[in-house]
Amino acid sequence: MQNHRQVGRGKRAHDGEGSGGTPPLKRSKTRAPAGKRNVGSSSSSSGRWKELQLQRKRLPITVGRSAILEEVRGSQCVIIVGETGSGKTTQIPQYLMESGLCKGHKRIAVTQPRRVAAMTVSKRVSEEVGCRLGDKVGYSVRFDDCSSERTLIKYVTDGTLLREAITDDTLSEYSVVILDEAHERSLHTDVLFGLVKQIMKRRHDLKVIVMSATLQAESFSSFFNDAPVLFIEGRQFPVDVFYAEESPADYLDAAMLSVLQIHMEESSGDILAFLTGQEEIEALAALLNEKARLLPLTYDKLLVCPIYAALPSEQQMLAFQPAPANTRKVILATNIAETSITINGVRFVVDCGLVKARGYNPKSGVDALAIIPISKAACRQRAGRAGREAPGKCFRLFTQESFQGLAEDSVPEIKRANLTTVVLQMMSMGIKDVLAFDFMDKPPRETLIRAMEALLALGALTPEGDISRPLGEQMAMFPVDPKFAKCLITAQEYGCLAEMIIITGMLSVENIFFAPKEQRGKADVAKRKFSSFYGDHLTLLKVYREFVHLKRDFQWCRTHFVNFRSMQKVEDVLKQLRDFCKRIGMNPESSCDEPEIICKCLTSGFFLNVAMLMDETGKFRTLTDSQEVCIHPSSVLFATKKPRCVLFNELVCTTKRYIRDVTLIESSWLPEMAPDYFVTSTSVVDGGSGSSSTGNQRVKNQVRKLTQSPQSRGIH
């Protein structure tokens, strides 16, 4: 059995849920993850820097510094369970840097499950180190790199580090890899677990630290060959938990009433409300702003600050700034604020108890986006946000009985996600047998096989199961879905890369259009002004071109119900994509105004997502697996005469099986743009699915051969 050590001293949190005994780690039932600090301005004076150093010394982790360094020096892998407020995320990388583990121009990588966490924490640590962000301390996330050759501590998203491993399969530039917030079990984090475990066998000099805010230490330790475990007590204040007497019919309405009641009845302190998604956040923000204007002048003002993944970075940062005088800040957040980040000043939490999660069915290829209850562990993480700096309160918009019925932990993402991108990345790193890969929790076999089938059809894999050259290698390098990567590569050949980059960027950001309930009719009319005969992809292209033509005008966006913040995000994505294309020798300025050429290039990547019109009812049938589907009402093709053949970006299941982001194509393009998959056949031209079944079955047979056991292939 591995060693378990406890370091640090701190206050115990109030147990707001009336639990019984306490496990070996003294911890609260309403804990929050380890101490990340608020984002402030750059350290511009010695006074500011000295104050930060005093704050560092007061963190509970300080007394455990020697024990942590001793354990890291003596072991290749260490598991650290950091109780809330301990300071593990900000301090441990600095301890390692100060102890000399960055010698020989080596770096320390610290992974975060979300880009906002990587950005905010790196900014705080750069202040503590006393350097500009991007110098000794920096970050690298998808479509944004703020690091340099001088960077010693680099905060990265787990997906970014995984992409780095494609070109450097031993992560040779790093002396230490810290896998932070490991309990979140994001898709890329789980792959990194297995990958890093493999690298450790080849690089005995590589130090690995797995950090978690929950007691999954035994599982992590067992996976990493009985690695030693350190427990670090945190600093947490009491959090009183209150439940609803009955579950509300409308949780948004209940959240609004709870926020207003807190504001009118409770003492000072900011409010953090957890909601399910961008649409819900924007709706509640509008309601709260409206109600706040009606409050008597005797009450403080309300400053509503949304925070969600699709929000531009500069807008996200507003949530971290102190509220003005006589103002209470209300942060409306998705589960992005559940762990990974800390927003100072929060005393009250409103928890809806729900999360928007995507589940993938490998048999049907359907992504189902559903709002589901969170786990007990997530409830405790959310409540802990209120007890970081002072006693707090958590108001749960569900009953105590409902809480008792929740699962203890969330299902790891790797067991419920489409793995096509991940499998491509793994194979590009030389991991050929993905079915035998050492996952901490193995994903469904069917999901891995479905991913291999898609990659083989796209030409990213050879029939022998190797990454193809140069196509597969190029596709793996792109920080986008393999289908879009294939479109971009094809667009370079056809001279319309500029247009394809724009389309890819527009589809990388959620909610380009917005439609307030009271103005839905006007919003629909405004959207129709951009409608392309060809469908949604070219409609998005027209929107962006008009946005640029009118000099990125905010008022134009408001008038046309275009989300200005989303368009700002698109600009960031496009810059990164263009820079990337230049680096690999592609010309991002190559352009053409022929819609059919652009649609053909889209077909080269999305030929597996093609559907044929069935009959006059407007229903379609997918070519690859004969599913009956409908065009989503958000599509510009929804209200038009239905084309005979379309491609789509995704298939989702809500009330029906809908295809989203739809573009019309000619069925005759299929053999031209995907000749290895389709054969010229009158059946496909006439609207049948005969030609696709040949390619589909051939791919399935090839993958079946690749995934057979050695014994079944006659190999002994």
Side-chain angles (χ1 to χ4, degrees), residues 692-708:
S692 73
S693 62
T694 304
N696 196 24
Q697 192 57 51
R698 184 172 63 253
V699 166
K700 288 180 181 294
N701 290 339
Q702 288 172 333
V703 171
R704 191 179 296 116
K705 289 179 182 177
L706 292 174
T707 55
Q708 285 177 337

Side-chain angles (χ1 to χ4, degrees), residues 116-172:
V116 65
M119 295 163 70
T120 56
V121 178
S122 63
K123 191 170 192 313
R124 171 67 187 198
V125 175
S126 70
E127 292 178 331
E128 293 182 357
V129 172
C131 69
R132 289 181 177 272
L133 185 60
D135 195 54
K136 279 188 178 181
V137 183
Y139 68 84
S140 182
V141 301
R142 188 179 184 228
F143 301 126
D144 191 5
D145 186 355
C146 185
S147 65
S148 67
E149 60 183 16
R150 298 179 302 277
T151 300
L152 299 178
I153 299 175
K154 188 163 78 168
Y155 288 85
V156 297
T157 54
D158 40 22
T160 297
L161 188 62
L162 198 56
R163 281 193 296 275
E164 287 188 19
I166 293 174
T167 54
D168 181 7
D169 62 0
T170 63
L171 298 174
S172 60

Side-chain angles (χ1 to χ4, degrees), residues 216-264:
Q216 296 181 5
E218 294 289 347
S219 300
F220 294 133
S221 177
S222 176
F223 182 75
F224 285 100
N225 304 314
D226 290 336
V229 180
L230 285 178
F231 293 103
I232 304 169
E233 286 190 344
R235 183 176 59 209
Q236 176 77 350
F237 292 88
V239 176
D240 292 317
V241 177
F242 301 89
Y243 292 90
E245 292 184 1
E246 57 184 32
S247 297
D250 184 344
Y251 91 84
L252 270 185
D253 186 59
M256 180 191 67
L257 293 174
S258 295
V259 168
L260 292 174
Q261 187 174 353
I262 292 169
H263 182 56
M264 297 172 70

Side-chain angles (χ1 to χ4, degrees), residues 9-27:
R9 298 173 64 184
K11 294 182 179 180
R12 286 195 55 198
H14 174 65
D15 184 352
E17 289 152 6
S19 64
T22 307
L25 172 62
K26 295 179 180 179
R27 62 185 176 88

Side-chain angles (χ1 to χ4, degrees), residues 424 454-462 466-469 471-473 475:
L424 177 59
L455 293 171
L456 190 61
L458 286 166
L461 301 181
T462 68
D466 299 308
I467 196 80
S468 64
R469 295 186 173 91
L471 179 60
E473 290 181 335
M475 288 172 62

Side-chain angles (χ1 to χ4, degrees), residues 564-669:
F564 181 71
R565 294 173 179 174
S566 295
M567 295 303 293
Q568 287 179 310
K569 178 63 179 174
V570 169
E571 295 273 71
D572 293 339
V573 172
L574 296 185
K575 182 182 183 304
Q576 295 295 320
L577 276 176
R578 288 165 182 152
D579 289 345
F580 178 83
C581 288
K582 288 177 183 177
R583 287 200 302 272
I584 63 173
M586 300 171 69
N587 179 16
E589 306 302 323
S590 65
S591 176
C592 87
D593 284 323
E594 298 184 40
E596 286 196 0
I597 297 296
I598 298 170
C599 291
K600 278 189 173 183
C601 291
L602 284 167
T603 305
S604 74
F606 286 86
F607 60 84
L608 293 174
N609 291 11
V610 170
M612 306 292 297
L613 186 65
M614 293 173 54
D615 48 45
E616 296 295 324
T617 63
K619 294 180 180 177
F620 289 77
R621 190 176 300 279
T622 60
L623 276 187
T624 54
D625 44 18
S626 297
Q627 294 188 73
E628 189 176 298
V629 297
C630 301
I631 293 177
H632 195 272
S634 64
S635 172
V636 299
L637 297 180
F638 178 73
T640 65
K641 183 180 178 180
K642 299 298 185 288
R644 293 175 60 192
C645 184
V646 297
L647 62 80
F648 54 91
N649 190 37
E650 63 177 349
L651 174 59
V652 297
C653 184
T654 52
T655 55
K656 300 179 181 177
R657 291 189 175 181
Y658 286 110
I659 50 178
R660 293 173 61 99
D661 301 313
V662 184
T663 284
L664 70 86
I665 63 170
E666 297 291 336
S667 56
S668 58
W669 296 349

